[in-house]
Amino acid sequence: MKTTLLKISLSLIIGIILIAGMFGCNQATPTVTSSPAATSKPAVTTTAASTTAVQTTAATTPAATPAPRTITDMYGTKLTIPGVVNRVVATGPVETQLLYILAPEKLTGLSSAWSGNPSYISSKYKDITIIGNSSSGTFNFEAAIVTKPDVVLEGKTKNLTIDREKFGAIPVVGVNPGDDLLTMYENEIKFVADLLGMPERGEELLTYYRQAMDYVNSTVSRIPDSEKVRVYYAQGNDGLQTDAEGSWHTNLLAFCGGLNAADVHVSNTSQAVQVSMEQIYSWNSADPIDMIIIGRTSQATTYQTIINSSAWQKLDCVKVGQVFVRPDNPTSWFDGPPGYGQILGMYWMVNKLYPNQTKDLDIKAKVKEFYSRFLHYDLTDEEVVKLLANPG
């Protein structure tokens, strides 16, 4: 009997122990699910919910519009303009070129079609609307307004009043690099870059510009006046138009140490002057003309006229091939009109005038650099050669 009771008791104890063990195993399950791996699921769910909440808030709350700015333009007029300028046009070619260099994505209108066939322009910018320019009397106010510019740039003070009447609520900002375009670009570059909210981009262009000016100044300073090159600047299909010394059209020539062979005196130095072959012969007799540079014309036609004409062949510079066409794709490096392409044109001009003094200059590398950094186009080696060559 005692033995039986003992066995029963032992059986009960073992059963209780087994049952307790089973409950112990059941209680261990939450411990496993609360491990780092298990708790990561609620964390992801919470983050997703928070992200959804943020996205919902962002979708229902419009972004704050930058407050309008009050500025003083380069003629001293106070104007209110948008806090951010995203769309802009200019009434003239000089400022249009600057806008293209600084921010082509903001430029909504061109003063004229790009030069060249084909033009060395990125496909992204080939279809910008042509709105004309005030200098030639072709500016189309209606076409400009349709492009919805935030601001308009005007480079001539005489045009500001009528521009502001025509554009109404669209602010017209007066800009001007100064009378001597070439050596006064710095002020306009800084002003327009700040206007666009792109001071770093402006400083990048200014650095290239200053380096070019320093190179030219250093080169020309070592050349005696007696050794400076005399140049006839030929324009018009027959080459019998030119510009007087002191004209803004010949600033680049003078800056790079060239002497203007044309002895003409005019009241308006911005206008081309009609001359005759007899006058050119006279200037050449007094002091031989060393070089002819062609611009502001149908260049290939003028080049062929000069090198094939018996009248022009009387000049020694023509006989020895010192006749050059200024590069003009997608915009001029010298004149026609003068503009920001002249920053690269400084290197080209001083190299043409003084090749022996500029043997250290890799003009092809300079051309590629300028086009890539500022004209938004990567030239091939063949395109560089074509740019630097006279028309065939």
Side-chain angles (χ1 to χ4, degrees):
M1 184 68 178
K2 289 181 180 180
T3 302
T4 301
L5 290 172
L6 180 59
K7 289 179 179 179
I8 293 171
S9 298
L10 288 171
S11 298
L12 288 172
I13 291 169
I14 291 169
I16 291 169
I17 290 171
L18 290 172
I19 292 170
M22 291 173 63
F23 276 108
C25 291
N26 289 338
Q27 290 296 321
T29 303
T31 304
V32 173
T33 58
S34 64
S35 68
T39 56
S40 64
K41 291 183 178 179
V44 171
T45 302
T46 302
T47 303
S50 299
T51 303
T52 301
V54 169
Q55 290 173 343
T56 302
T57 303
T60 56
T61 305
T65 302
R69 292 182 283 162
T70 299
I71 66 164
T72 301
D73 71 12
M74 296 184 76
Y75 290 109
T77 303
K78 288 189 178 298
L79 299 164
T80 299
I81 67 170
V84 176
V85 174
N86 289 318
R87 301 176 64 81
V88 59
V89 295
T91 64
V94 177
E95 286 71 37
T96 297
Q97 290 174 23
L98 178 57
L99 289 172
Y100 180 75
I101 287 172
L102 293 177
E105 70 282 359
K106 294 178 184 281
L107 180 60
T108 65
L110 295 177
S111 57
S112 62
W114 298 116
S115 301
N117 185 25
S119 301
Y120 297 147
I121 288 288
S122 167
S123 58
K124 293 187 293 184
Y125 309 121
K126 281 192 173 181
D127 297 325
I128 300 175
T129 302
I130 297 173
I131 57 175
N133 84 77
S134 57
S135 298
S136 63
T138 62
F139 188 77
N140 187 323
F141 287 94
E142 290 75 17
I145 291 169
V146 166
T147 69
K148 299 180 180 179
D150 296 318
V151 299
V152 176
L153 303 188
E154 172 57 75
K156 295 186 177 180
T157 183
K158 67 179 182 180
N159 297 334
L160 286 170
T161 300
I162 190 169
D163 284 356
R164 286 170 178 153
E165 290 175 0
K166 294 278 191 179
F167 282 107
I170 302 172
V172 178
V173 180
V175 290
N176 190 350
D179 294 330
D180 183 352
L181 290 178
L182 183 66
T183 59
M184 298 183 72
Y185 282 144
E186 183 162 347
N187 298 330
E188 191 173 57
I189 292 171
K190 285 181 178 178
F191 181 87
V192 175
D194 287 344
L195 182 79
L196 300 177
M198 307 175 72
E200 297 85 1
R201 178 64 172 161
E203 190 56 39
E204 183 183 359
L205 178 59
L206 281 170
T207 298
Y208 188 100
Y209 169 60
R210 291 167 184 151
Q211 289 172 347
M213 293 188 73
D214 288 346
Y215 183 84
V216 171
N217 280 324
S218 175
T219 301
V220 174
S221 68
R222 300 192 301 269
I223 301 171
D225 289 344
S226 59
E227 297 178 15
K228 287 186 176 177
V229 175
R230 296 186 75 240
V231 178
Y232 173 72
Y233 177 29
Q235 303 169 46
N237 288 344
D238 57 4
L240 296 178
Q241 292 180 17
T242 192
D243 275 290
E245 184 176 353
S247 167
W248 70 323
H249 295 287
T250 58
N251 281 349
L252 180 63
L253 174 63
F255 180 71
C256 292
L259 302 179
N260 191 341
D263 184 13
V264 293
H265 303 280
V266 293
S267 57
N268 185 351
T269 58
S270 67
Q271 295 297 317
V273 181
Q274 188 70 39
V275 299
S276 65
M277 283 305 308
E278 287 68 26
Q279 282 178 290
I280 295 173
Y281 293 155
S282 175
W283 299 330
N284 185 65
S285 297
D287 197 348
I289 297 171
D290 301 303
M291 182 182 295
I292 295 174
I293 293 178
I294 299 169
R296 290 178 75 189
T297 182
S298 174
Q299 297 177 122
T301 300
T302 306
Y303 179 76
Q304 294 299 330
T305 295
I306 290 176
I307 64 170
N308 293 321
S309 164
S310 58
W312 285 97
Q313 284 288 334
K314 293 180 180 180
L315 302 178
D316 287 342
C317 64
V318 176
K319 290 178 183 177
V320 298
Q322 288 296 292
V323 181
F324 301 103
V325 171
R326 59 97 164 93
D328 184 29
N329 186 345
T331 188
S332 174
W333 298 9
F334 173 26
D335 185 32
Y340 282 89
Q342 290 187 120
I343 295 177
L344 173 60
M346 284 190 247
Y347 287 115
W348 175 81
M349 180 69 79
V350 77
N351 183 243
K352 277 289 179 237
L353 295 174
Y354 303 108
N356 291 331
Q357 291 86 349
T358 56
K359 289 180 179 178
D360 63 322
L361 176 62
D362 187 342
I363 187 64
K364 292 182 179 179
K366 284 296 181 184
V367 171
K368 277 194 170 185
E369 178 189 8
F370 188 84
Y371 272 68
S372 178
R373 290 175 61 188
F374 303 114
L375 296 182
H376 321 289
Y377 185 88
D378 292 325
L379 291 164
T380 65
D381 291 339
E382 291 76 15
E383 288 169 339
V384 173
V385 170
K386 189 174 179 180
L387 272 170
L388 295 172
N390 284 322

